[in-house]
Amino acid sequence: MANSSNVTLVGGRRPGPPSVAGTSWRGWGELALAAVAAAFTLAQLALVRPGMGLGWDETVYVSQISAQAPPAFFSAPRARGVSLLVAPITSWSSSTPLLRVYLALLSGLGLYLALRVWRGLFPARVLALAGALFASLWVTVFYGPQAMPNYWVAIGALICVGCFLRVRADRYGWADRYGRADRCDRAALGGVGVGAALMAWMRPTDAIWTVLPLLALLVCVRGRRRLALLTALVAGLVAGAGEWVVEAYVSYGGLGQRLSDASHIQGGLGWNIAVGDQLRSLGGRALCRPCTGAMPDVAVMAWWFVLPLLAALGLAVAVRARRTTATLVPLTCATTAAVPYLFLIGYAAPRFLLPAYALLAIPVADALVHLGTVPGRAWRPVAVAVLALVIAGHVSVQYAVLEKAVDRTTASHRGWARTAGELHRLGVRPPCLLTGSEAIPIAFYTGCSSAQTSGHNANATRAGILRTATRIPVAALAPANGSAPAYARGWPSHRYGAVRIHVAPAAGEGGRG
């Protein structure tokens, strides 16, 4: 097709990846991407305090491979990718700061590698700006050092889509004219599978939504490349989601039942416009469920409305530059990745859209570079200065939101740690069991198991909890003004801050001893 990412190579020579005029990858191009990744890592370490403590979902993932506490209940939507990602640290250390530093370094490396995949498809300055735009969002900095899956789905999406475009753009198949294997193509083909596997490893359903446009685009790919790309995509998805599917049959009653349970936990998937919920979450709310309250300030939301306009401009720029496909594909993948979180669930979390933001960053950066270079030579410095001021203002707003989110999250996590200390004082020490309000994260901080008799995390019965109370310390947690489960209302209770702790008699007697 005329408007595509295909690049004509003179004389059939195959010196390397597809090239873009004006791109220099030797020297400053590589250095620029490395600098963006390094700055992203430093921003995480400086702004998201390593001692922030673990969040609710993090305690679930970390507890699966950790000596600090028994594994928490693993609900149907979750996948094991994060637990394995953090295993090199959590398998031998319970240090949260060490885990944060490890994840910050790893996320910086991941961003560098994911951007580097796109070399030759876009100019170096576009990719460096794209990385900076994505890395400067408060939600990216906030979740980069956390044991959560969404950032890594975003990195997998960048790798998978970029490598797919590189393989598709190659005009010379799998061997040169002498019959020798084309190593560059095979590396890109492997990247397609690796990116798909990383996404599916973290969140299988997100991976499916993201690769749908790639599967559709295979219709336009000719020859052996079509089969090779299809094989790489399917192999990657199977490799990443295989354990999740097997676990569905072993522990959840089958794949259909696990998908049904996951839908129920997420409020029942169906037509449900959550755009307003996502807007409310932009103010720094980690989870907006139920999503009520006022919208954040216009300055906080403005970039969200500008984003699709710049993406459209980026597509127009790509059409004129005869690389439509290289821009249209990430735009389409970003759209399908965002669809379930904008239109199919009844709540929001800003991290859900990280894969869409990562893919949109490239065409948006292309549009911004165009705006900075299209005026005549006399006006070009003015255009660059205006864009720099706008971007600086955007970044300052993002970091203001980040600061509030970190402060609020740190205070919440410290509250859990203090409650754990009070439980220890009352004699609830490992081995032990917690149930009731916020039992999962507080149990991790306390070193206990957690159990619920109802709700999305139900994994025990009333009789089972009472039997356990005869063997080990057991406590039921409730809001200070709320009520404990019926079976625990006769247990000795202790108010601690906003929490009321009901300790089973056997545990209380053991604590006094």
Side-chain angles (χ1 to χ4, degrees):
M1 55 190 297
N3 294 329
S4 71
S5 59
N6 290 347
V7 179
T8 301
L9 301 179
V10 179
R13 293 179 64 237
R14 204 37 201 73
S19 61
V20 172
T23 301
S24 173
W25 281 101
R26 290 183 180 179
W28 85 267
E30 296 280 5
L31 183 61
L33 297 189
V36 168
F40 175 52
T41 299
L42 293 175
Q44 294 175 70
L45 295 174
L47 302 175
V48 185
R49 293 182 281 272
M52 185 174 68
L54 297 179
W56 186 312
D57 293 294
E58 288 185 291
T59 62
V60 175
Y61 291 120
V62 170
S63 69
Q64 307 304 309
I65 305 179
S66 173
Q68 181 169 338
F73 176 72
F74 209 74
S75 61
R78 302 187 188 277
R80 304 279 175 178
V82 174
S83 300
L84 296 176
L85 183 74
V86 301
I89 300 298
T90 61
S91 59
W92 60 273
S93 173
S94 60
S95 170
T96 299
L98 179 61
L99 178 62
R100 294 276 187 241
V101 171
Y102 162 75
L103 288 173
L105 293 171
L106 198 61
S107 60
L109 176 62
L111 180 63
Y112 169 74
L113 294 176
L115 291 173
R116 196 173 184 275
V117 160
W118 292 77
R119 68 192 191 279
L121 295 170
F122 286 88
R125 59 186 176 180
V126 170
L127 296 184
L129 179 58
L133 292 173
F134 177 62
S136 63
L137 293 176
W138 77 263
V139 65
T140 310
V141 180
F142 187 66
Y143 284 104
Q146 293 197 46
M148 296 291 282
N150 310 88
Y151 173 81
W152 295 103
V153 176
I155 294 300
L158 281 174
I159 293 173
C160 182
V161 176
C163 286
F164 184 97
L165 289 170
R166 291 172 68 84
V167 174
R168 184 185 178 280
D170 175 39
R171 297 168 58 90
Y172 291 92
W174 310 111
D176 62 17
R177 57 184 174 177
Y178 302 107
R180 295 176 301 201
D182 183 347
R183 295 181 181 178
C184 179
D185 283 342
R186 293 189 182 278
L189 187 64
V192 173
V194 169
L198 179 58
M199 288 189 288
W201 195 35
M202 295 295 169
R203 291 186 71 89
T205 52
D206 284 14
I208 297 297
W209 280 99
T210 303
V211 304
L212 282 177
L214 303 184
L215 294 172
L217 188 60
L218 286 176
V219 176
C220 303
V221 179
R222 296 180 180 180
R224 287 184 294 170
R225 276 178 296 174
R226 177 187 298 174
L227 178 60
L229 283 168
L230 178 61
T231 301
L233 280 172
V234 173
L237 293 174
V238 171
E243 185 278 333
W244 195 84
V245 173
V246 171
E247 188 180 41
Y249 289 97
V250 172
S251 304
Y252 295 89
L255 180 58
Q257 186 61 50
R258 184 169 195 176
L259 290 171
S260 176
D261 291 346
S263 174
H264 176 69
I265 289 172
Q266 293 174 309
L269 298 181
W271 183 250
N272 208 327
I273 300 177
V275 176
D277 295 344
Q278 284 291 347
L279 283 172
R280 288 184 176 88
S281 74
L282 293 178
R285 300 171 67 173
L287 181 64
C288 201
R289 186 179 189 182
C291 207
T292 57
M295 291 285 185
D297 292 338
V298 174
V300 173
M301 299 187 296
W303 71 274
W304 216 68
F305 294 99
V306 174
L307 192 64
L309 300 178
L310 288 175
L313 176 60
L315 180 59
V317 171
V319 171
R320 293 188 62 184
R322 300 178 63 84
R323 46 181 164 83
T324 307
T325 303
T327 296
L328 185 59
V329 171
L331 282 176
T332 308
C333 290
T335 301
T336 57
V339 161
Y341 297 115
L342 292 177
F343 303 109
L344 298 181
I345 63 173
Y347 67 99
R351 59 187 171 87
F352 291 162
L353 295 181
L354 276 172
Y357 296 151
L359 291 168
L360 287 173
I362 294 176
V364 166
D366 203 15
L368 290 174
V369 169
H370 173 75
L371 290 175
T373 56
V374 72
R377 182 169 298 181
W379 287 97
R380 191 168 297 169
V382 176
V384 172
V386 170
L387 286 175
L389 286 174
V390 171
I391 293 174
H394 164 71
V395 171
S396 65
V397 171
Q398 292 295 305
Y399 283 179
V401 174
L402 175 65
E403 183 180 13
K404 293 180 181 179
V406 170
D407 289 344
R408 182 167 54 249
T409 302
T410 301
S412 174
H413 296 175
R414 286 176 178 172
W416 291 339
R418 287 193 293 267
T419 301
E422 178 66 9
L423 283 162
H424 288 162
R425 190 187 70 80
L426 294 172
V428 183
R429 300 187 182 92
C432 49
L433 177 71
L434 298 186
T435 186
S437 176
E438 299 186 326
I440 288 179
I442 295 175
F444 181 84
Y445 281 80
T446 312
C448 300
S449 301
S450 59
Q452 300 289 357
T453 58
S454 61
H456 300 321
N457 297 303
N459 63 340
T461 63
R462 168 180 174 172
I465 291 175
L466 292 175
R467 283 195 302 271
T468 302
T470 64
R471 297 183 288 104
I472 62 174
V474 173
L477 307 176
N481 298 322
S483 59
Y487 59 82
R489 289 173 188 166
W491 295 355
S493 67
H494 312 265
R495 179 166 180 169
Y496 183 75
V499 180
R500 185 166 292 279
I501 303 170
H502 300 260
V503 184
E509 293 168 6
R512 288 191 294 270

